[in-house]
Amino acid sequence: MRVIGLTGGIATGKSTFAALLRARGAPVVDADALARAAVEPGTPALAEIARTFGAEVLREDGALDRKALAARVFADPEARRRLEAITHPAVRRAMREATDRLAAQGHPLAFYDTPLLYEVGLEALLDAVVVVWAPRDVQRERLIRRDRLDAADVDARLAAQLPVDEKAARADFVIDNAGAPEALAGKADRLLADLRAGRGRRLPNAPPVRY
C-alpha cells in the first residue's frame, strides 16, 4: 500500500480536501487524532510527559492539561524539543499501526493528514506528498473571517508556520485552493485518478503536478 502525505497551511483548506478524499473512498489517517490518542491517560507518552514537566501539567482526573503544557513550552524551545522527543515517536508508531491495518484490509492507497509533515521530516517515510495551497492574502482573509482575529494575530499565526509556498515547492502534487471551495471536488477526483494510475514522486528538478 502506498501512503501519501497530505499537508498545507493554516486556512488553506486541507481538512476540507481530506473530507473530499474520504467521501471518495480513500482512507485518511488523521495525525491530530493520533496525537490526542497518544497522550490519553494510561499511555506511556503521558507518563513520560508528567515525569518530564511535573504533575502540574495533568488535570485532577489524570488527563493532560493542554493549556498548562502549552504555557510551559510555548516560549521555551528546549522544553518544546523535550516534548517533541516524547510525542513524535509515539505518533509515528501509531501512524505505522494505522497504515498497517489499512494495508491488511487490502487498501492500495491511503493518505496521512498532518500539518507538520515537512517540519518533522516525514516526507522520507511517505510515497508522495500533496500540499493544499492558497496564497498568503487568501489565508489572511479566511483567518480573519473564520476565527475573527485581528491582523496582528493573523500575522503571528502565519509567521509561526513554515510558509505554504515553501511546502508547495517541495511537494509532488499541489492542490490550488485559492478559489471557490466547490472547485476542490473535481481536483480530488483528478488527484485520485492520477494516484490510482500509479503516478507518484516527481522527478528531480521537475515541478510539482498542480490541480
Side-chain angles (χ1 to χ4, degrees), residues 16 40 48-49 64-65 75 79 92 107 109 118-119 131 145 147 161 166 168 182 201 209:
T16 300
E40 287 180 349
E48 184 62 25
I49 288 170
L64 181 64
D65 186 333
R92 288 194 186 192
H107 291 281
L109 184 72
Y118 288 115
E119 290 86 341
V131 168
R145 184 174 65 248
D147 296 347
Q161 292 194 336
E166 183 175 334
E182 296 78 18
R201 287 278 186 200
V209 178

Side-chain angles (χ1 to χ4, degrees), residues 79-155:
R80 189 162 58 251
R81 281 191 290 271
R82 293 201 306 272
L83 176 62
E84 290 170 350
I86 298 167
T87 58
H88 288 176
V91 173
R92 288 194 186 192
R93 284 193 296 272
M95 171 202 171
R96 286 194 296 271
E97 292 168 1
T99 53
D100 285 349
R101 285 194 298 272
L102 291 169
Q105 293 166 11
H107 291 281
L109 184 72
F111 290 86
Y112 185 53
D113 176 359
T114 174
L116 300 178
L117 188 154
Y118 288 115
E119 290 86 341
V120 301
L122 278 178
E123 64 268 34
L125 304 179
L126 300 163
D127 294 292
V129 175
V130 177
V131 168
V132 182
W133 174 90
R136 189 179 180 89
D137 61 333
V138 172
Q139 288 180 275
R140 292 183 84 260
E141 179 185 340
R142 288 174 180 167
L143 278 171
I144 291 170
R145 184 174 65 248
R146 185 189 74 187
D147 296 347
R148 301 180 184 276
L149 300 174
D150 62 30
D153 288 335
V154 167
D155 288 339

Side-chain angles (χ1 to χ4, degrees), residues 159-203:
Q161 292 194 336
L162 188 68
V164 73
D165 285 345
E166 183 175 334
K167 295 182 182 184
R170 296 167 65 178
D172 301 293
F173 304 92
V174 175
I175 306 299
D176 185 332
N177 189 29
E182 296 78 18
L184 282 181
K187 296 178 181 184
D189 290 333
R190 289 162 54 201
L191 173 69
L192 285 172
D194 282 347
L195 290 172
R196 288 166 175 161
R199 198 161 194 171
R201 287 278 186 200
R202 61 187 169 105
L203 296 173

